[in-house]
């Protein structure tokens, strides 16, 4: 599960004491709601299924996969299913490769989702062993499913735009600049990331 509402408030309160523009933005928009996903294999598989398609399309594919593979789309069932059957559910050749990569790492125990390294960078290394799971997907998983409080997905365009808006920068900062801007906010960067999404299209800012 992700950071709780109280954890988000507490972290933002700490950062806002040293960032008056953040404090001002919070006063205008209020605190964001938590973003929570279930911890484990299903969340990562749903991430793969949902890549580059609409929420509705991803939901349709997932429902077909569950009908074919069983509830939760067990890793063993993914590996046992053939190409045509998965294709009929809406899973492209590329995504089948990603899904099988995840399923193999789960069944062999090489991706211990119930015991990932406590160090965030090492946990990201583990997660990105899965084909189709890049740094951004790994960071989102750790923030929303594992409640890691210091995750800062600096490569996310909405995070870049949101922090640029909050800090009243003349243009959207680059990934490198976004990472540098947030360094002083550690270990509370996860809550700030959630606030940037909350602020991104908020008319109050």
């Amino acid at each position: 599960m992700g950071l709780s509402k109280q954890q988000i408030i507490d972290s933002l309160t700490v950062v806002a004491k040293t960032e008056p523009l953040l404090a001002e933005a919070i006063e205008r928009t209020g605190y964001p709601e938590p973003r929570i996903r279930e911890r484990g294999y299903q969340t990562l598989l749903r991430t793969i299924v949902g890549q580059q398609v609409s929420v509705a399309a991803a939901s349709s594919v997932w429902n077909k996969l569950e009908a074919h593979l069983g509830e939760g789309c067990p890793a063993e069932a993914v590996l046992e299913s053939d190409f045509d059957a998965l294709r009929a559910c809406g899973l492209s050749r590329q995504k089948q490769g990603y899904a099988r990569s995840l399923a193999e790492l789960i069944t062999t125990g090489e991706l211990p989702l119930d015991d990932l390294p406590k160090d965030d960078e090492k946990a990201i290394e583990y997660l990105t062993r899965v084909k189709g799971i890049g740094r951004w997907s790994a960071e989102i998983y750790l923030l929303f499913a594992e409640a890691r409080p210091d995750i800062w997905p600096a490569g996310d365009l909405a995070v870049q735009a949101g922090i640029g808006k909050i800090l009243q920068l003349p243009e959207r900062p680059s990934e490198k600049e976004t990472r540098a801007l947030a360094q002083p906010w550690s270990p509370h960067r996860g809550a700030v990331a959630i606030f940037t999404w909350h602020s991104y299209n908020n008319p109050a800012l």
Side-chain angles (χ1 to χ4, degrees), residues 29-48:
T29 68
Y31 290 100
E33 291 301 314
R35 295 189 173 213
I36 294 173
R37 294 182 185 171
E38 289 295 321
R39 185 186 192 196
Y41 158 77
Q42 284 186 46
T43 290
L44 285 174
L45 183 58
R46 291 194 81 134
T47 297
I48 289 169

Side-chain angles (χ1 to χ4, degrees), residues 15-62:
V15 178
K17 287 177 180 177
T18 62
E19 289 289 346
L21 290 174
L22 177 64
E24 183 181 323
I26 293 170
E27 188 173 342
R28 288 186 184 180
T29 68
Y31 290 100
E33 291 301 314
R35 295 189 173 213
I36 294 173
R37 294 182 185 171
E38 289 295 321
R39 185 186 192 196
Y41 158 77
Q42 284 186 46
T43 290
L44 285 174
L45 183 58
R46 291 194 81 134
T47 297
I48 289 169
V49 169
Q51 288 174 348
Q52 299 178 321
V53 297
S54 69
V55 172
S59 180
S60 174
V61 172
W62 181 261

